Amino acid sequence: MEELVKSIDQILKMIDQSINEKKIPETMRTYVEQLERNMRLFLDVAEISVQENTIQSPISPSSRGAMFNLRKAFYATLTRLAREQGVDRNRSLEEWRRVAGVLIEETRKRGIIEAPCKIVLTYNIVSDSKSKYISFKSARIFYFELEDIIKLDLTK
């Protein structure tokens, strides 16, 4: 995987240089820029897939479904960490409720409640004077929009 990421980084540098030096014909520039965006998105997804301490939902038909699946994944992770590392369930649940509210508000604000989504949370196990609990660091919401509509005439 590291080799692939390095190769894509090199290609992205070459694309950037070619665009800046105007070596790409204007008719192809938009396609090359789209390719560059897609490659950068791939690198983001590849980076997330190898991170430790993540809780992920599968791709779901809506952000509501993604939140439902993320909640199930959170509870499974919490149960495991409470058993293995003595994580405080109640304090972790408080943190989960806060983060879930932020995620729901963000999807509502952006108008992607009904868009297919995948949500990835990264977390740390934090200790304070009282207990150890799950503390969330970041969230990534992958949402998928309608790209195009293909209309076919199927009459003979």
Side-chain angles (χ1 to χ4, degrees):
M1 186 64 154
E2 278 185 42
E3 274 306 304
L4 179 61
V5 169
K6 286 179 185 177
S7 297
I8 291 174
D9 276 336
Q10 289 174 343
I11 292 169
L12 287 171
K13 287 175 185 171
M14 289 171 28
I15 289 172
D16 284 341
Q17 184 179 6
S18 297
I19 289 173
N20 290 338
E21 294 174 1
K22 300 186 191 275
K23 291 182 177 178
I24 297 175
E26 191 62 30
T27 55
M28 289 187 60
R29 186 178 54 80
T30 55
Y31 298 110
V32 172
E33 288 172 342
Q34 184 178 10
L35 173 65
E36 179 185 24
R37 279 190 302 276
N38 288 335
M39 291 174 84
R40 290 190 190 286
L41 286 173
F42 169 78
L43 287 177
D44 284 346
V45 171
E47 175 191 333
I48 289 170
S49 68
V50 297
Q51 282 183 339
E52 293 182 5
N53 295 346
T54 63
I55 301 172
Q56 302 184 24
S57 74
I59 297 174
S60 303
S62 68
S63 69
R64 288 183 184 132
M67 282 300 298
F68 176 78
N69 290 320
L70 188 66
R71 181 178 151 271
K72 290 189 326 185
F74 166 74
Y75 277 100
T77 302
L78 177 59
T79 300
R80 179 179 55 80
L81 292 174
R83 184 178 58 245
E84 292 174 359
Q85 298 183 25
V87 169
D88 182 349
R89 279 186 69 82
N90 292 330
R91 184 79 189 270
S92 297
L93 285 171
E94 287 175 22
E95 183 73 5
W96 162 252
R97 288 183 191 110
R98 181 187 67 77
V99 168
V102 170
L103 291 170
I104 291 167
E105 182 58 34
E106 190 65 28
T107 57
R108 185 177 297 136
K109 183 173 73 176
R110 294 183 183 261
I112 57 172
I113 291 173
E114 297 302 324
C117 286
K118 173 184 180 70
I119 303 172
V120 179
L121 294 175
T122 57
Y123 67 90
N124 284 329
I125 306 290
V126 177
S127 295
D128 62 9
S129 60
K130 299 175 187 174
S131 62
K132 286 191 335 188
Y133 64 96
I134 296 174
S135 175
F136 294 100
K137 294 188 324 184
S138 66
R140 295 201 181 169
I141 302 171
F142 298 86
Y143 67 96
F144 307 92
E145 294 180 336
L146 179 64
E147 178 106 5
D148 196 4
I149 298 174
I150 299 171
K151 185 177 179 182
L152 303 172
D153 184 7
L154 301 174
T155 60
K156 289 186 178 183

